[in-house]
Amino acid sequence: MVLLLSTYDMGRQPFGLASPAAWLRKAGVEVRCADLSRDRLSDQDVRAAKLIGVFLPMHTATRLAIPVIDRVRSLNPAAQLCAYGLYAPLNASLLREHGITDILPGEFEQGLTDLATRTGHGIAPQKDEPAGQVPGGGVPRLEFITPDRGGLPPLARYATLQIGSERRVVGYTEASRGCKHLCRHCPIVPVYNGRFRVVPIPVVVSDIRAQVAAGARHITFGDPDFFNGIGHAKAIAETFGREFPGVSYDVTIKIEHLVGHRGALPLLRDTGCALVTSAVESIDDNVLARLQKGHTRSDFEHAVALCRDAGLALAPTFVAFTPWTTIDGYCELLRTIARLDLIEHVSPIQLAIRLLVTQGSRLLELEEIRLITTAFDPRSLIYPWRHADPKVDRLQEQLSSLVGVRLSAPRRDTFAQVWTMAHEAAGQGRQPDLPVVRNRTEVPYLDEPWYC
């Protein structure tokens, strides 16, 4: 039996369990899935498993997984342990110290199936030929199949979409994987290195259809950038609009693509797109250049106007605290969010996020980053850094504490507190008044408060 574990996936039913489960079951392998963000780990399942795979799609999931891996290893020392997902190769050395024998990065379904087959026949994997991977560490091309969510908690137990007083059950799928961009701080880049893979439309539609039948009234497309393949994205949107009237969806799209493919924005609106997330990261062009984001502050403001004109809700995300952040620059970020009437569009956690320098990060290419980071911390899974101005770090810590305890507070109320704290830190005698909200349209949002 194969046991697949997920510790955290941003409040959604883990695609990283459902997809490989379909592959394993198709191969005739018994598989059980456990989402530990919703259910307790079954000691009985752990002891019965020959292969245990731990899904590591993000930083928080990986930190939570380390004690789980230790517990699994103590309960069943004979089981073969595998880690897969974006953060598995980034933390390979640490994971091996905790008993993980196999590391699978992107496109892991075939690798897990190979491991299960070998394990079932008592064949040890060849160390120089990682299961499911291609020579040179490239990303394999898979023939995708429809995920199988059997055994996972129902969708109603996960995060929902809030539209005013309405609450919609949310499903999740992927129309593409990887990303053709090389943003310096992104964890996708060390794994995919500019590659992306398109999932066939029939597979995507089949997955959505099953989730709608299970109660979903909104679908999150988890593609790192929905517009990476604009032709494919348009076809997906058109098909969605025809097949699922009354069901909404959300996507993630880079600022440069929102501007460059502005003609496609009305199509998103007309086919049910309720929300567009975009990783703005900063309004400082110097910081954006260091991160190699591919857009400028002017592009961001243009994208805000384009989405507003198209009738799309834009949800910007930020890395508000970097080694280059200043208190005055942070206050300017707040003023820009307010001026663009985006207070209700920005999740409060976005106002406190600190730049993470992880294993394999392209940030380490920058000498100015190498000079301020200390040794890799196996507990936090980052290279810690301190800002040259202690007031910046102090403000970030204060804001993290604030947003961490006000998860259900109205966004404008939290923003007002952040506004006050930031301007006090800047030493301004009289704070500027917080602008009055102009746009009172209800902004859709997913009610999972955490981010990475």
Side-chain angles (χ1 to χ4, degrees):
M1 188 266 284
V2 175
L3 176 63
L4 301 180
L5 304 177
S6 172
T7 56
Y8 181 67
D9 200 7
M10 295 203 299
R12 59 200 180 201
Q13 192 185 63
F15 185 91
L17 300 191
S19 184
W23 284 68
L24 290 163
R25 288 168 180 149
K26 183 180 179 181
V29 177
E30 180 187 0
V31 57
R32 296 181 188 175
C33 298
D35 182 355
L36 304 186
S37 73
R38 295 296 182 271
D39 293 320
R40 294 175 62 86
L41 180 63
S42 166
D43 291 358
Q44 182 177 348
D45 284 349
V46 171
R47 293 190 177 101
K50 290 186 175 180
L51 172 64
I52 300 173
V54 186
F55 179 45
L56 305 178
M58 55 191 295
H59 186 257
T60 298
T62 309
R63 292 186 64 180
L64 293 173
I66 297 300
V68 172
I69 292 169
D70 291 343
R71 181 182 170 198
V72 162
R73 188 181 178 193
S74 67
L75 287 171
N76 186 353
Q80 187 167 337
L81 304 185
C82 169
Y84 64 99
L86 287 177
Y87 274 77
L90 298 185
N91 296 283
S93 297
L94 176 65
L95 292 168
R96 292 188 189 284
E97 290 175 7
H98 286 266
I100 296 292
T101 57
D102 295 272
I103 306 290
L104 300 174
E107 315 308 287
F108 41 72
E109 288 87 346
Q110 184 64 61
L112 277 168
T113 304
D114 291 347
L115 282 176
T117 301
R118 292 170 175 174
T119 303
H121 290 85
I123 303 173
Q126 299 297 315
K127 292 184 179 180
D128 58 342
E129 296 180 3
Q133 301 305 293
V134 298
V139 180
R141 291 186 178 275
L142 305 181
E143 295 184 8
F144 298 106
I145 63 176
T146 305
D148 184 344
R149 290 178 166 76
L152 284 171
L155 294 175
R157 291 183 60 191
Y158 291 90
T160 59
L161 181 81
Q162 299 289 137
I163 306 180
S165 60
E166 181 185 3
R167 178 176 294 181
R168 296 188 180 185
V169 173
V170 176
Y172 174 94
T173 194
E174 296 175 357
S176 65
R177 296 185 182 181
C179 186
K180 64 182 182 181
H181 298 277
L182 299 173
C183 301
R184 193 167 253 140
H185 61 305
C186 179
I188 298 170
V189 174
V191 175
Y192 282 89
N193 195 29
R195 304 177 183 90
F196 83 106
R197 302 285 187 255
V198 165
V199 182
I201 293 176
V203 174
V204 178
V205 171
S206 175
D207 187 25
I208 296 171
R209 189 179 294 124
Q211 293 180 82
V212 170
R217 290 298 174 265
H218 178 89
I219 299 293
T220 289
F221 283 94
D223 312 36
D225 193 311
F226 191 67
F227 276 4
N228 259 326
I230 187 62
H232 182 64
K234 287 181 178 179
I236 289 285
E238 290 167 352
T239 304
F240 189 102
R242 288 195 306 270
E243 292 263 346
F244 308 106
V247 179
S248 56
Y249 66 92
D250 71 273
V251 294
T252 297
I253 302 175
K254 283 176 66 68
I255 290 295
E256 66 179 285
H257 285 168
L258 291 173
V259 174
H261 299 300
R262 70 194 74 180
L265 301 185
L267 173 63
L268 297 183
R269 175 200 62 212
D270 294 342
T271 54
C273 184
L275 186 66
V276 176
T277 300
S278 191
V280 179
E281 314 302 41
S282 176
I283 60 167
D284 184 324
D285 285 344
N286 290 324
V287 175
L288 291 170
R290 285 180 170 95
L291 299 181
Q292 295 189 343
K293 280 300 298 176
H295 70 259
T296 63
R297 173 177 178 161
S298 176
D299 294 330
F300 162 51
E301 298 200 13
H302 191 189
V304 171
L306 289 171
C307 287
R308 191 157 284 154
D309 290 345
L312 289 171
L314 179 67
T317 64
F318 299 97
V319 180
F321 289 89
T322 72
W324 312 286
T325 299
T326 64
I327 298 291
D328 288 343
Y330 185 79
C331 290
E332 174 60 17
L333 171 64
L334 298 181
R335 289 192 290 269
T336 300
I337 290 171
R339 176 174 58 81
L340 296 175
D341 204 15
L342 293 173
I343 293 174
E344 296 291 346
H345 295 242
V346 178
S347 173
I349 188 60
Q350 298 301 325
L351 304 174
I353 286 181
R354 182 182 180 87
L355 183 68
L356 298 181
V357 183
T358 61
Q359 289 275 28
S361 173
R362 289 191 61 227
L363 288 165
L364 293 167
E365 296 172 358
L366 300 176
E367 183 178 6
E368 55 193 315
I369 290 292
R370 295 196 301 271
L371 288 174
I372 65 170
T373 52
T374 57
F376 182 76
D377 181 358
R379 296 186 63 184
S380 61
L381 304 182
I382 59 171
Y383 290 91
W385 58 270
R386 302 301 295 176
H387 198 283
D389 181 356
K391 290 191 298 184
V392 175
D393 284 341
R394 189 157 52 246
L395 176 61
Q396 192 271 331
E397 292 167 0
Q398 291 170 345
L399 295 179
S400 292
S401 298
L402 171 68
V403 300
V405 299
R406 291 179 58 85
L407 299 179
S408 60
R411 288 184 173 183
R412 184 169 180 81
D413 291 352
T414 301
F415 188 90
Q417 285 192 268
V418 171
W419 178 277
T420 297
M421 292 169 67
H423 286 90
E424 286 178 350
Q428 298 184 8
R430 183 182 183 280
Q431 296 176 30
D433 294 332
L434 186 62
V436 176
V437 174
R438 300 186 303 276
N439 178 14
R440 295 191 177 276
T441 303
E442 296 284 1
V443 179
Y445 66 93
L446 294 164
D447 62 3
E448 174 65 20
W450 210 241
Y451 177 64
C452 62

